[in-house]
Amino acid sequence: MNPIEGHLPSRSPLHDILAPTGIAVIGASSDPTKRGYKAMVGLIKDGYRGDIYPVNPKADMILGVKAWPTVTAIPGSPELALICTPAASVPELIAECGRRGIKGAVILASGFAEIGGEGAALEQAMMDKARAHGVRIIGPNTSGIFNLHHRINLLALDNVRPGDVGIISQSGNMLLSLALEAQHNGQVGFSTYVGPGNQSDIGFNDYLRYLGEDEHTRVATLYVEGFRDGRKFLDVAREVTAMKPVVVYKSGSTEQGQKAASSHTGALAGSYAMTVDLLKQAGVSVVQYSDEILPVAEGLGLLQKASGKRVAVISDGGGQATIASDRLAEAGLELAELSEATRDRLRAILFPQASTVNPVDVAGSTDANPSLLATCMEIVAADDNVDSVFLVGMFGGYSIRFAESLLGDEMRGAEAMVDLAKAITKPLVIYSLYTPVKPPALRRLHEAGLPIYASIEHAVRLLAALGERGHYLNASRAHRLPPAVPRDPDSATAIHAALAAGRDLLEPEAKALLRAHGVPVLEERLVTGPEQLAAVVAEFGEVPLAMKVVSKDILHKSDAGGVRLNLVGEAALSAAREAILASCRAYDPDAEIEGVLVAPMAPKGVEVIVGVSRDPIFGPVLMFGLGGIFVEVLEDVAFRAIPLSPFDARSMVDQIKARKILDGVRGEQAVDREALVALLLSVSSIVSAYPEIAELDLNPVIANADGYALVDARIILDSPTQETPS
Amino acid sequence: MNPIEGHLPSRSPLHDILAPTGIAVIGASSDPTKRGYKAMVGLIKDGYRGDIYPVNPKADMILGVKAWPTVTAIPGSPELALICTPAASVPELIAECGRRGIKGAVILASGFAEIGGEGAALEQAMMDKARAHGVRIIGPNTSGIFNLHHRINLLALDNVRPGDVGIISQSGNMLLSLALEAQHNGQVGFSTYVGPGNQSDIGFNDYLRYLGEDEHTRVATLYVEGFRDGRKFLDVAREVTAMKPVVVYKSGSTEQGQKAASSHTGALAGSYAMTVDLLKQAGVSVVQYSDEILPVAEGLGLLQKASGKRVAVISDGGGQATIASDRLAEAGLELAELSEATRDRLRAILFPQASTVNPVDVAGSTDANPSLLATCMEIVAADDNVDSVFLVGMFGGYSIRFAESLLGDEMRGAEAMVDLAKAITKPLVIYSLYTPVKPPALRRLHEAGLPIYASIEHAVRLLAALGERGHYLNASRAHRLPPAVPRDPDSATAIHAALAAGRDLLEPEAKALLRAHGVPVLEERLVTGPEQLAAVVAEFGEVPLAMKVVSKDILHKSDAGGVRLNLVGEAALSAAREAILASCRAYDPDAEIEGVLVAPMAPKGVEVIVGVSRDPIFGPVLMFGLGGIFVEVLEDVAFRAIPLSPFDARSMVDQIKARKILDGVRGEQAVDREALVALLLSVSSIVSAYPEIAELDLNPVIANADGYALVDARIILDSPTQETPS
């Protein structure tokens, strides 16, 4: 057995499987249309240096390699088996593999859980064998794997070269598409590819951990239709993104797409908007369009990050400078404001008609000497107001468009750009309309590790990803989680009592819990008999009060006629109480009514909603948004996985499209954002401290310049045995 | 002089200039770095068959062609002059050209209106000469022109081939970029290119008319930074789009981009959202991203239109089917619902595990015979529920990926697709991940005029453009403008009186005008003295009434304390009137107060806004949106140029993002959309009938299931001499 080089000890058990010292190909074949042939060709052609064991009862030799009739007959101990045989044969083969000491198996066959019924039973039988015999499963229903630095190319893909982009893709066609694009682009190489298939054993989180540890992978790139254990994935992603960029394309952004996706794999799809928010929370670079996956992954791998969002544009054509400006603004980036000193230095080398305001337009100054563009890049890169430099225009094509004699200047310009890229930590991103032609100057830049774009749009997506990644990584202190809060004994008791009684928390109990954890809740009084109303008026005064019913049996108080507003004085309160009780009794004659809550009317302000639910894929998730139509019609909400860091809380308030309303419109004062941020952090801590809380709903919270008023609070407990009220 | 072929008589005077029988190159040069050299090379190399007259006082021959010292010395009568000399020389040269009988001049120099001051004066001097001598001007500050079918290539671009895409681009780099992309793509050819530059004489509308008439142009493609006469452009576009597709990329989609654009040209940029709406109203296909311009133009040129938005997807990979589904839904397209008969026909040829629900996933059925994909396309194309067919996957690459022996099947599949495309009127759009490799089957499809895409995103943008164009063209009856309405004599008198008095219409006058034209306005009474209040109560009854001040001097009634709501009974009305008068007198002691208007409170419903203004570029424009934050914060509004067709009115109600609210949320009934449509059409007719109306504001209009209530109306007249109240 040949030792495989570069096989370092590390934590993930996948290293053994994905960089094995020997491979059994079960169902190896001499028929060129079979996958068992392709895999053999891939291993042999790429020069795999481990042992290859073709398994086929009907052949002695396959492609010049001695074949074995069964797995049991294999003389050595390969770490990986590739199983190319039909689904029904798999469970027994897994048992055989286990007995032979094989640690992992790649299962190509489809016909498992993704077709439901019988397939699901077969997948279960396979997993039973796998667990019993200690075999880890990649797939089933996978397109396979490759690990090019170890010359393992089980897909027998042509023309892929070893490089630093790792890929996990639930679609084999997507891998093929990226490989063809990379071949055409001429620069991007790959490290490891895995098709996770049905993820019946190993899931996205395990593969991502492996790519995080893999020394050959500089950027992990994932095409995901659905996660199995989203919470674990987020935990792994948070660790990996601190070290290297992780790029995710999540399919199913629309209902239509989700339907298409779930007919394709067995995994749950989840809400797209929520998934994107949670991935970004973990530092993942989410790309929205499939044709941006490779451009963004390549650029992130090469350039790593920018320290912020202020971009300096150098252009030799006003039109494309304008397009770049539009795209940068749409992507949330800023045109850096160049200092006067920078502008003076530009003016000194450019024609008078050049624009030295960002976007810089050289206006013909470089026509006779394109290397001046490199000088411009150097000048703006030295400006403290600039986080990244974006060259837009025809660099690389001057010698084609104007005069061949300019080639020397262009090559000197390219060298100067390469030197600049080495000398500074700010990313240089280059769009050239000559990219499809691959002229010498661009080839030189490409070879030196600078990404070159043929589309302004793709270049800007990269700049946005660099900026977001920089923003995320630079905020390290704000990512620290607040300390866990201890449980309040009274609240814990109330929860236990409610669970024992098979009910959720009553509104006063929920509010008491919040108050116990420092969340300011509007003062209110529970009134259980008419004789208490006078004391309530004495306490609150002759101000407008609100009254609502308290009953574990009435969830939708307004529908039951259980709410009355703007009540002034004892007579009004008394009448309202009678009306509420009558209305609620009519609504549900069996409802147990504890009484009514009386509180001052909420102050004026902006209605916001804070909600918590436990997602089956991602666990406890907090939602924030503006109330009313913003949530119901515009779905303008932000999600974060609990626990939230201060960075998370602040970014979710900033994220909603209607945030201008929080800043004050129509002459209103801005609301106290820090108070909202504190509320989100408190809710996150509370939910972490009480795993019994299944759902929490603060709707509405009235936010204003002085803070906020919490008008209503609902806490649903996990597994209450009570029946749902009809 | 050689006659130029294909030079048909037609309306636009530009045909003479853009397909001239002779060309003078003023500033022709033997120096390869000069434009006067490039142009000569371009004409000679491409084999221009008209006469070429180099003009250069210092040379006898240029590139083997006899040169002339001055324009006056030229012996023939070329129709076009290319002027390559500096800005200062241009006015006198134009005069010389005119005297020599030259009909048009292309002026490359910059340094005119785009730099302001002196440059603007120079441009004026040039235009004075041009008008005096009957010379039409292309530019100045233009990159030039080409007309490849006439072998006129004044830019000396290499590797552009004659074809059917006409281009008008305010950015020379954008033209270069499109030309390089086309060269690389290998299929797209061009007809005429013009850089309109400063549009000091000939503008976008003239060039578009020319492309509309040009027999060599199948699709007109425009890169626009700013229009000079937007209204005329819309008129021309409406005519041209009825015959051939017009693709526009409008730069300046963000404030940042608009700033960059206006530093680049002298044209006003206008509001991007409004410009896009008006272009679409004229049937233009607007593309949002610069890298979509060529893919969309190519596809529209080849395929023309779909009859609707229902797309059938045929795929050989679930992942990319999902991506396609997501993008189709985002683009407002639908997955066609395949009939049972269609699904039966698909089931008969595909594996049992294939999905015959759209998106169709062949699930391996075509691995051994890719020509089956063509059969699938034929089957879904025959379904009446399908408007267009989208093939997604690896077609063209089966013989590369699986086995070379599949090449025959792939070529047969390609032939079948070509035959299908000829036999049906539904567009076939093909995305293949093998597009960058240009395999034989894709080359065959390409040659036969089927567009092949390397990006699902670009293919979907084309499908969307095809669907929108089909939707627009098929609605021909709904595009008919309603008949003009005659002016109401009383309203005309009121307008004259107001103009004579130097004021705008008072609210009652504005409402009377609307009422006279059949727009239902809430009943209301003008009260000029306290003694009239009793009669008002008698008329309206003891219902809640609203009261507001009427004064030509008070525009913002609420700010002046001039509005009181929910008044019941005479005493309340009387007190409110006193309060309003006192408050308004305090607000503006000099205000002339006519009285107060009293009307029943508006019914409940959804607040919408209808506004009209006169845009300096596009003329009268109508805006529609939901009231309050939808307009102020979310800018969720639709614009149409007046006059509106029924199609326009309906489409603008459908366009706003918050349209769900009109359909009824939180249990509310849907509003009467047809009533809103009728209101928009009425307002359009009214504004057309009264050119004196500069602005009209109906804010708010309360829409509900029974129609709408017009609560407030403001009409601002053109050029009232009255001073703005302080």
mmCIF file of all heavy atoms in Angstrom, chain A residues 38 155 223 249 252-254 257 290-291 326-327 330 401 455 457 628 666, chain B residues 38 155 249 252-254 257 290-291 319 326-327 330 401 455 457 628 666:
data_model
loop_
_atom_site.group_PDB
_atom_site.id
_atom_site.type_symbol
_atom_site.label_atom_id
_atom_site.label_comp_id
_atom_site.label_asym_id
_atom_site.label_seq_id
_atom_site.Cartn_x
_atom_site.Cartn_y
_atom_site.Cartn_z
ATOM 1 N N LYS A 38 -16.346 4.365 -15.563
ATOM 2 C CA LYS A 38 -15.909 5.761 -15.427
ATOM 3 C C LYS A 38 -14.987 5.938 -14.221
ATOM 4 O O LYS A 38 -13.947 6.580 -14.301
ATOM 5 C CB LYS A 38 -17.138 6.670 -15.212
ATOM 6 C CG LYS A 38 -17.948 6.913 -16.454
ATOM 7 C CD LYS A 38 -17.498 8.188 -17.132
ATOM 8 C CE LYS A 38 -18.085 8.259 -18.523
ATOM 9 N NZ LYS A 38 -17.353 9.165 -19.392
ATOM 10 N N LEU A 155 -15.516 10.650 -10.464
ATOM 11 C CA LEU A 155 -16.471 11.044 -11.501
ATOM 12 C C LEU A 155 -15.834 11.007 -12.880
ATOM 13 O O LEU A 155 -16.523 11.183 -13.880
ATOM 14 C CB LEU A 155 -16.989 12.459 -11.262
ATOM 15 C CG LEU A 155 -17.960 12.641 -10.107
ATOM 16 C CD1 LEU A 155 -17.223 12.867 -8.811
ATOM 17 C CD2 LEU A 155 -18.905 13.787 -10.379
ATOM 18 N N TYR A 223 -23.745 24.049 -2.888
ATOM 19 C CA TYR A 223 -25.057 24.163 -3.512
ATOM 20 C C TYR A 223 -26.002 23.307 -2.668
ATOM 21 O O TYR A 223 -25.835 22.094 -2.591
ATOM 22 C CB TYR A 223 -25.023 23.664 -4.954
ATOM 23 C CG TYR A 223 -26.414 23.516 -5.532
ATOM 24 C CD1 TYR A 223 -27.051 24.596 -6.130
ATOM 25 C CD2 TYR A 223 -27.106 22.311 -5.446
ATOM 26 C CE1 TYR A 223 -28.336 24.475 -6.625
ATOM 27 C CE2 TYR A 223 -28.391 22.184 -5.942
ATOM 28 C CZ TYR A 223 -29.005 23.267 -6.526
ATOM 29 O OH TYR A 223 -30.270 23.147 -7.015
ATOM 30 N N TYR A 249 -25.013 28.691 -2.261
ATOM 31 C CA TYR A 249 -26.201 28.960 -3.068
ATOM 32 C C TYR A 249 -27.287 28.043 -2.532
ATOM 33 O O TYR A 249 -27.135 26.828 -2.537
ATOM 34 C CB TYR A 249 -25.958 28.667 -4.553
ATOM 35 C CG TYR A 249 -27.206 28.874 -5.395
ATOM 36 C CD1 TYR A 249 -27.441 30.086 -6.014
ATOM 37 C CD2 TYR A 249 -28.160 27.874 -5.518
ATOM 38 C CE1 TYR A 249 -28.591 30.300 -6.752
ATOM 39 C CE2 TYR A 249 -29.323 28.082 -6.248
ATOM 40 C CZ TYR A 249 -29.526 29.294 -6.867
ATOM 41 O OH TYR A 249 -30.677 29.504 -7.592
ATOM 42 N N GLY A 252 -34.486 26.999 -4.110
ATOM 43 C CA GLY A 252 -35.826 27.074 -3.523
ATOM 44 C C GLY A 252 -36.126 28.453 -2.973
ATOM 45 O O GLY A 252 -36.706 28.592 -1.904
ATOM 46 N N SER A 253 -35.722 29.515 -3.706
ATOM 47 C CA SER A 253 -35.981 30.873 -3.224
ATOM 48 C C SER A 253 -37.443 31.252 -3.399
ATOM 49 O O SER A 253 -37.898 32.230 -2.835
ATOM 50 C CB SER A 253 -35.088 31.882 -3.948
ATOM 51 O OG SER A 253 -35.430 31.963 -5.309
ATOM 52 N N THR A 254 -38.168 30.497 -4.203
ATOM 53 C CA THR A 254 -39.591 30.782 -4.403
ATOM 54 C C THR A 254 -40.389 29.528 -4.082
ATOM 55 O O THR A 254 -39.839 28.429 -4.034
ATOM 56 C CB THR A 254 -39.870 31.168 -5.865
ATOM 57 O OG1 THR A 254 -39.557 30.049 -6.706
ATOM 58 C CG2 THR A 254 -39.018 32.350 -6.296
ATOM 59 N N GLY A 257 -39.986 27.084 -6.782
ATOM 60 C CA GLY A 257 -38.701 26.409 -6.730
ATOM 61 C C GLY A 257 -38.648 25.400 -5.595
ATOM 62 O O GLY A 257 -38.055 24.329 -5.722
ATOM 63 N N SER A 290 -27.270 31.559 -9.653
ATOM 64 C CA SER A 290 -26.383 30.426 -9.854
ATOM 65 C C SER A 290 -25.148 30.810 -10.661
ATOM 66 O O SER A 290 -24.083 30.240 -10.473
ATOM 67 C CB SER A 290 -27.140 29.279 -10.527
ATOM 68 O OG SER A 290 -27.534 29.638 -11.841
ATOM 69 N N ASP A 291 -25.276 31.807 -11.548
ATOM 70 C CA ASP A 291 -24.101 32.154 -12.350
ATOM 71 C C ASP A 291 -23.118 33.048 -11.603
ATOM 72 O O ASP A 291 -22.109 33.470 -12.155
ATOM 73 C CB ASP A 291 -24.496 32.742 -13.720
ATOM 74 C CG ASP A 291 -25.334 34.002 -13.616
ATOM 75 O OD1 ASP A 291 -25.576 34.470 -12.490
ATOM 76 O OD2 ASP A 291 -25.763 34.517 -14.662
ATOM 77 N N ASP A 326 -24.054 52.290 -10.248
ATOM 78 C CA ASP A 326 -25.412 51.803 -9.996
ATOM 79 C C ASP A 326 -25.376 50.471 -9.247
ATOM 80 O O ASP A 326 -26.079 50.270 -8.262
ATOM 81 C CB ASP A 326 -26.166 51.600 -11.324
ATOM 82 C CG ASP A 326 -26.716 52.904 -11.887
ATOM 83 O OD1 ASP A 326 -26.914 53.855 -11.114
ATOM 84 O OD2 ASP A 326 -26.954 52.966 -13.111
ATOM 85 N N ARG A 327 -24.554 49.555 -9.739
ATOM 86 C CA ARG A 327 -24.532 48.219 -9.140
ATOM 87 C C ARG A 327 -23.986 48.259 -7.717
ATOM 88 O O ARG A 327 -24.464 47.550 -6.840
ATOM 89 C CB ARG A 327 -23.689 47.265 -9.997
ATOM 90 C CG ARG A 327 -24.292 46.882 -11.340
ATOM 91 C CD ARG A 327 -25.621 46.170 -11.237
ATOM 92 N NE ARG A 327 -26.730 47.075 -11.454
ATOM 93 C CZ ARG A 327 -27.071 47.582 -12.641
ATOM 94 N NH1 ARG A 327 -26.408 47.259 -13.725
ATOM 95 N NH2 ARG A 327 -28.093 48.410 -12.746
ATOM 96 N N GLU A 330 -26.689 49.529 -5.448
ATOM 97 C CA GLU A 330 -27.723 48.503 -5.266
ATOM 98 C C GLU A 330 -27.251 47.402 -4.317
ATOM 99 O O GLU A 330 -28.044 46.798 -3.611
ATOM 100 C CB GLU A 330 -28.094 47.878 -6.628
ATOM 101 C CG GLU A 330 -28.906 48.800 -7.519
ATOM 102 C CD GLU A 330 -28.933 48.344 -8.983
ATOM 103 O OE1 GLU A 330 -28.442 47.238 -9.276
ATOM 104 O OE2 GLU A 330 -29.433 49.096 -9.817
ATOM 105 N N ARG A 401 -7.093 47.525 -29.348
ATOM 106 C CA ARG A 401 -7.987 48.569 -29.861
ATOM 107 C C ARG A 401 -7.223 49.757 -30.455
ATOM 108 O O ARG A 401 -7.603 50.274 -31.493
ATOM 109 C CB ARG A 401 -8.911 49.037 -28.730
ATOM 110 C CG ARG A 401 -9.907 50.124 -29.122
ATOM 111 C CD ARG A 401 -11.013 49.591 -30.004
ATOM 112 N NE ARG A 401 -11.752 50.679 -30.640
ATOM 113 C CZ ARG A 401 -11.897 50.823 -31.951
ATOM 114 N NH1 ARG A 401 -11.366 49.947 -32.766
ATOM 115 N NH2 ARG A 401 -12.580 51.825 -32.451
ATOM 116 N N SER A 455 -17.977 40.531 -16.433
ATOM 117 C CA SER A 455 -19.280 41.138 -16.161
ATOM 118 C C SER A 455 -19.119 42.090 -14.978
ATOM 119 O O SER A 455 -18.599 41.710 -13.921
ATOM 120 C CB SER A 455 -20.297 40.027 -15.836
ATOM 121 O OG SER A 455 -21.290 40.488 -14.940
ATOM 122 N N GLU A 457 -21.497 43.166 -13.258
ATOM 123 C CA GLU A 457 -22.419 42.659 -12.253
ATOM 124 C C GLU A 457 -21.743 41.612 -11.362
ATOM 125 O O GLU A 457 -21.884 41.636 -10.137
ATOM 126 C CB GLU A 457 -23.666 42.071 -12.927
ATOM 127 C CG GLU A 457 -24.723 43.118 -13.316
ATOM 128 C CD GLU A 457 -24.378 43.958 -14.553
ATOM 129 O OE1 GLU A 457 -23.400 43.619 -15.261
ATOM 130 O OE2 GLU A 457 -25.076 44.950 -14.802
ATOM 131 N N GLY A 628 -48.193 44.881 11.475
ATOM 132 C CA GLY A 628 -49.237 45.096 10.476
ATOM 133 C C GLY A 628 -48.831 44.613 9.104
ATOM 134 O O GLY A 628 -48.279 43.531 8.944
ATOM 135 N N ARG A 666 -42.466 61.667 8.361
ATOM 136 C CA ARG A 666 -43.538 62.650 8.598
ATOM 137 C C ARG A 666 -43.317 63.425 9.891
ATOM 138 O O ARG A 666 -44.251 63.643 10.672
ATOM 139 C CB ARG A 666 -44.891 61.925 8.701
ATOM 140 C CG ARG A 666 -45.305 61.256 7.400
ATOM 141 C CD ARG A 666 -46.591 60.523 7.599
ATOM 142 N NE ARG A 666 -47.284 60.315 6.341
ATOM 143 C CZ ARG A 666 -48.466 59.768 6.236
ATOM 144 N NH1 ARG A 666 -49.116 59.389 7.318
ATOM 145 N NH2 ARG A 666 -49.039 59.604 5.074
ATOM 146 N N LYS B 38 -7.642 55.349 -38.259
ATOM 147 C CA LYS B 38 -8.536 54.218 -37.984
ATOM 148 C C LYS B 38 -9.708 54.181 -38.945
ATOM 149 O O LYS B 38 -10.062 53.129 -39.490
ATOM 150 C CB LYS B 38 -9.108 54.355 -36.554
ATOM 151 C CG LYS B 38 -8.124 54.018 -35.474
ATOM 152 C CD LYS B 38 -8.279 52.564 -35.051
ATOM 153 C CE LYS B 38 -7.092 52.139 -34.198
ATOM 154 N NZ LYS B 38 -6.903 50.704 -34.204
ATOM 155 N N LEU B 155 -15.350 53.021 -37.013
ATOM 156 C CA LEU B 155 -14.609 52.753 -35.781
ATOM 157 C C LEU B 155 -13.480 51.765 -36.022
ATOM 158 O O LEU B 155 -12.682 51.519 -35.125
ATOM 159 C CB LEU B 155 -15.527 52.171 -34.701
ATOM 160 C CG LEU B 155 -16.542 53.109 -34.076
ATOM 161 C CD1 LEU B 155 -17.804 53.164 -34.890
ATOM 162 C CD2 LEU B 155 -16.841 52.698 -32.655
ATOM 163 N N TYR B 249 -31.162 49.520 -22.128
ATOM 164 C CA TYR B 249 -30.536 49.574 -20.815
ATOM 165 C C TYR B 249 -30.421 51.040 -20.458
ATOM 166 O O TYR B 249 -29.790 51.805 -21.168
ATOM 167 C CB TYR B 249 -29.139 48.934 -20.816
ATOM 168 C CG TYR B 249 -28.458 49.054 -19.469
ATOM 169 C CD1 TYR B 249 -28.537 48.028 -18.542
ATOM 170 C CD2 TYR B 249 -27.761 50.210 -19.117
ATOM 171 C CE1 TYR B 249 -27.932 48.142 -17.292
ATOM 172 C CE2 TYR B 249 -27.163 50.327 -17.864
ATOM 173 C CZ TYR B 249 -27.252 49.298 -16.969
ATOM 174 O OH TYR B 249 -26.669 49.415 -15.724
ATOM 175 N N GLY B 252 -28.019 54.843 -14.522
ATOM 176 C CA GLY B 252 -28.461 55.784 -13.496
ATOM 177 C C GLY B 252 -29.630 55.250 -12.699
ATOM 178 O O GLY B 252 -30.557 55.990 -12.391
ATOM 179 N N SER B 253 -29.605 53.947 -12.357
ATOM 180 C CA SER B 253 -30.716 53.371 -11.592
ATOM 181 C C SER B 253 -30.654 53.798 -10.136
ATOM 182 O O SER B 253 -31.608 53.629 -9.399
ATOM 183 C CB SER B 253 -30.698 51.847 -11.697
ATOM 184 O OG SER B 253 -29.561 51.326 -11.051
ATOM 185 N N THR B 254 -29.527 54.326 -9.699
ATOM 186 C CA THR B 254 -29.403 54.790 -8.314
ATOM 187 C C THR B 254 -28.941 56.242 -8.331
ATOM 188 O O THR B 254 -28.443 56.742 -9.339
ATOM 189 C CB THR B 254 -28.347 53.961 -7.556
ATOM 190 O OG1 THR B 254 -27.067 54.168 -8.184
ATOM 191 C CG2 THR B 254 -28.683 52.482 -7.595
ATOM 192 N N GLY B 257 -25.403 56.408 -9.253
ATOM 193 C CA GLY B 257 -25.179 56.223 -10.679
ATOM 194 C C GLY B 257 -25.600 57.449 -11.469
ATOM 195 O O GLY B 257 -24.959 57.816 -12.458
ATOM 196 N N SER B 290 -26.274 45.158 -17.115
ATOM 197 C CA SER B 290 -25.565 45.383 -18.375
ATOM 198 C C SER B 290 -25.177 44.063 -19.039
ATOM 199 O O SER B 290 -25.119 43.986 -20.258
ATOM 200 C CB SER B 290 -24.327 46.251 -18.138
ATOM 201 O OG SER B 290 -23.383 45.582 -17.329
ATOM 202 N N ASP B 291 -24.956 43.010 -18.251
ATOM 203 C CA ASP B 291 -24.543 41.755 -18.890
ATOM 204 C C ASP B 291 -25.728 40.978 -19.465
ATOM 205 O O ASP B 291 -25.556 39.883 -19.994
ATOM 206 C CB ASP B 291 -23.687 40.887 -17.950
ATOM 207 C CG ASP B 291 -24.384 40.521 -16.655
ATOM 208 O OD1 ASP B 291 -25.571 40.850 -16.494
ATOM 209 O OD2 ASP B 291 -23.719 39.893 -15.799
ATOM 210 N N GLY B 319 -31.429 19.669 -9.872
ATOM 211 C CA GLY B 319 -30.899 20.890 -9.277
ATOM 212 C C GLY B 319 -31.127 22.086 -10.172
ATOM 213 O O GLY B 319 -31.639 23.121 -9.745
ATOM 214 N N ASP B 326 -37.027 28.724 -9.679
ATOM 215 C CA ASP B 326 -36.882 29.915 -8.827
ATOM 216 C C ASP B 326 -36.803 31.181 -9.673
ATOM 217 O O ASP B 326 -37.490 32.165 -9.410
ATOM 218 C CB ASP B 326 -35.602 29.810 -7.978
ATOM 219 C CG ASP B 326 -35.784 28.923 -6.747
ATOM 220 O OD1 ASP B 326 -36.929 28.744 -6.313
ATOM 221 O OD2 ASP B 326 -34.771 28.419 -6.232
ATOM 222 N N ARG B 327 -35.953 31.148 -10.684
ATOM 223 C CA ARG B 327 -35.751 32.348 -11.490
ATOM 224 C C ARG B 327 -37.013 32.706 -12.273
ATOM 225 O O ARG B 327 -37.350 33.877 -12.422
ATOM 226 C CB ARG B 327 -34.585 32.150 -12.466
ATOM 227 C CG ARG B 327 -33.209 32.100 -11.839
ATOM 228 C CD ARG B 327 -32.840 33.365 -11.099
ATOM 229 N NE ARG B 327 -33.062 33.219 -9.673
ATOM 230 C CZ ARG B 327 -32.305 32.475 -8.866
ATOM 231 N NH1 ARG B 327 -31.252 31.837 -9.329
ATOM 232 N NH2 ARG B 327 -32.583 32.402 -7.580
ATOM 233 N N GLU B 330 -39.406 34.386 -9.899
ATOM 234 C CA GLU B 330 -38.940 35.739 -9.564
ATOM 235 C C GLU B 330 -39.186 36.707 -10.716
ATOM 236 O O GLU B 330 -39.409 37.892 -10.501
ATOM 237 C CB GLU B 330 -37.440 35.709 -9.232
ATOM 238 C CG GLU B 330 -37.121 35.072 -7.896
ATOM 239 C CD GLU B 330 -35.644 34.695 -7.750
ATOM 240 O OE1 GLU B 330 -34.852 35.043 -8.656
ATOM 241 O OE2 GLU B 330 -35.305 34.042 -6.764
ATOM 242 N N ARG B 401 -19.619 13.778 -21.864
ATOM 243 C CA ARG B 401 -19.665 13.291 -20.493
ATOM 244 C C ARG B 401 -19.841 11.768 -20.425
ATOM 245 O O ARG B 401 -19.202 11.104 -19.615
ATOM 246 C CB ARG B 401 -20.819 13.984 -19.749
ATOM 247 C CG ARG B 401 -21.012 13.544 -18.315
ATOM 248 C CD ARG B 401 -19.910 14.066 -17.407
ATOM 249 N NE ARG B 401 -19.903 13.404 -16.105
ATOM 250 C CZ ARG B 401 -18.881 12.716 -15.618
ATOM 251 N NH1 ARG B 401 -17.769 12.599 -16.322
ATOM 252 N NH2 ARG B 401 -18.944 12.158 -14.432
ATOM 253 N N SER B 455 -26.008 30.672 -19.060
ATOM 254 C CA SER B 455 -26.455 31.083 -17.735
ATOM 255 C C SER B 455 -27.969 30.918 -17.680
ATOM 256 O O SER B 455 -28.695 31.422 -18.540
ATOM 257 C CB SER B 455 -26.063 32.548 -17.490
ATOM 258 O OG SER B 455 -26.978 33.205 -16.632
ATOM 259 N N GLU B 457 -29.813 32.267 -15.548
ATOM 260 C CA GLU B 457 -30.339 33.596 -15.254
ATOM 261 C C GLU B 457 -30.577 34.393 -16.543
ATOM 262 O O GLU B 457 -31.612 35.036 -16.709
ATOM 263 C CB GLU B 457 -29.368 34.340 -14.326
ATOM 264 C CG GLU B 457 -29.515 33.994 -12.845
ATOM 265 C CD GLU B 457 -28.948 32.629 -12.438
ATOM 266 O OE1 GLU B 457 -28.262 31.982 -13.260
ATOM 267 O OE2 GLU B 457 -29.206 32.194 -11.302
ATOM 268 N N GLY B 628 -49.662 57.191 2.100
ATOM 269 C CA GLY B 628 -48.850 57.111 3.310
ATOM 270 C C GLY B 628 -47.476 56.554 3.049
ATOM 271 O O GLY B 628 -46.813 56.929 2.085
ATOM 272 N N ARG B 666 -56.352 40.931 6.075
ATOM 273 C CA ARG B 666 -56.995 40.941 7.401
ATOM 274 C C ARG B 666 -58.510 40.896 7.272
ATOM 275 O O ARG B 666 -59.228 41.615 7.955
ATOM 276 C CB ARG B 666 -56.617 42.198 8.172
ATOM 277 C CG ARG B 666 -55.130 42.267 8.484
ATOM 278 C CD ARG B 666 -54.837 43.559 9.210
ATOM 279 N NE ARG B 666 -53.601 43.454 9.966
ATOM 280 C CZ ARG B 666 -53.123 44.434 10.718
ATOM 281 N NH1 ARG B 666 -53.776 45.553 10.843
ATOM 282 N NH2 ARG B 666 -51.997 44.271 11.366
#
